[in-house]
Amino acid sequence: MKTGIIILAAGNSSRLGKPKQLLNYQGKTLLEIVSRAAIASSCKPIIVVLGAYATEISAKHHFPELKYVINDQWERGMSSSIAVGMSAVLAINQDIQQVIIAVSDQPFISAEIFENLIKTQQLSDKGIIASSYAETLGTPVLFSKKYFPQLLSLQGNQGAKQLLNEYPEDSSSLVFTLGDIDIDTTSDYNNLNLQR
């Protein structure tokens, strides 16, 4: 099945006070870590949605395998970036059958996790495959084509989480060890660096 990836990197990192996409971990920016994981997977196309700090982020990320798009309405929340990313995926390949939504602040993401989402979908035949960590479901999350219209029309800052809540019978999950480690505050980043 043809699978695309949308990397959400449009937020303004309000609690951190600077672009978390550019924070360094083990010699790579957080956005570079997820970008390289996506490139190493079998998924195409790979869309990176930028918004706040787009100029600064673009200046430091040049991966020809990725398509960078700008969400001019990033202030409207994650849902607007998902819609922009979905539109870009479908503009490149209208035959795409499923899409994985990822974020730019999970430093322990890997190509294997993306591939395992696809394998879990094939084995379960469910339309939504989420990552499981810290007693919750979250990103990266795979959606089959039947959810594309809803992804294109999401509203607010909850992102695609509302679809997970709405369709539990069509959802499955897999464990993403360390998936709960994301960077929202300076304290989060300091704790991450202590784990090196």
Side-chain angles (χ1 to χ4, degrees):
M1 292 181 78
K2 295 175 183 173
T3 307
I5 293 180
I6 298 167
I7 299 171
L8 304 177
N12 68 340
S13 313
S14 56
R15 285 192 278 167
L16 189 69
K18 57 185 175 182
K20 59 184 169 184
Q21 300 92 329
L22 296 179
L23 291 177
N24 225 281
Y25 181 62
Q26 296 188 340
K28 299 183 183 75
T29 68
L30 293 182
L31 181 54
E32 182 182 353
I33 290 169
V34 66
S35 296
R36 289 188 181 278
I39 290 166
S41 77
S42 61
C43 302
K44 284 182 188 149
I46 304 164
I47 307 296
V48 180
V49 183
L50 302 177
Y53 308 115
T55 303
E56 297 96 311
I57 293 168
S58 297
K60 297 191 176 182
H61 295 85
H62 304 285
F63 291 101
E65 301 95 335
L66 311 183
K67 179 171 176 60
Y68 298 87
V69 296
I70 306 292
N71 175 16
D72 293 323
Q73 299 182 321
W74 59 266
E75 297 103 324
R76 290 190 169 186
M78 194 181 289
S79 294
S80 65
S81 290
I82 291 171
V84 168
M86 280 301 311
S87 297
V89 165
L90 294 170
I92 292 171
N93 185 353
Q94 289 189 324
D95 297 324
I96 206 84
Q97 292 160 298
Q98 49 195 22
V99 69
I100 294 171
I101 295 173
V103 292
S104 59
D105 67 342
Q106 287 178 307
F108 299 102
I109 192 69
S110 67
E112 183 182 16
I113 291 163
F114 293 137
E115 297 297 343
N116 285 341
L117 288 171
I118 296 168
K119 285 177 191 168
T120 302
Q121 192 287 320
Q122 290 168 340
L123 290 170
S124 69
D125 205 30
K126 300 286 188 181
I128 302 172
I129 311 297
S131 298
S132 167
Y133 41 81
E135 298 181 7
T136 191
L137 297 176
T139 55
V141 56
L142 179 150
F143 290 95
S144 65
K145 190 171 189 172
K146 64 181 166 184
Y147 293 105
F148 288 4
Q150 284 157 287
L151 291 170
L152 283 161
S153 60
L154 285 172
Q155 302 280 320
N157 201 36
Q158 198 182 6
K161 189 95 171 183
Q162 52 197 284
L163 295 181
L164 295 179
N165 296 331
E166 201 171 334
Y167 301 102
E169 74 290 342
D170 193 33
S171 301
S172 188
S173 65
L174 62 96
V175 174
F176 172 10
T177 306
L178 302 180
D180 57 318
I181 298 176
D182 58 7
I183 312 302
D184 289 320
T185 65
T186 301
S187 174
D188 291 339
Y189 185 51
N190 290 339
N191 289 339
L192 173 67
N193 284 316
L194 288 174
Q195 295 185 35
R196 290 187 183 196

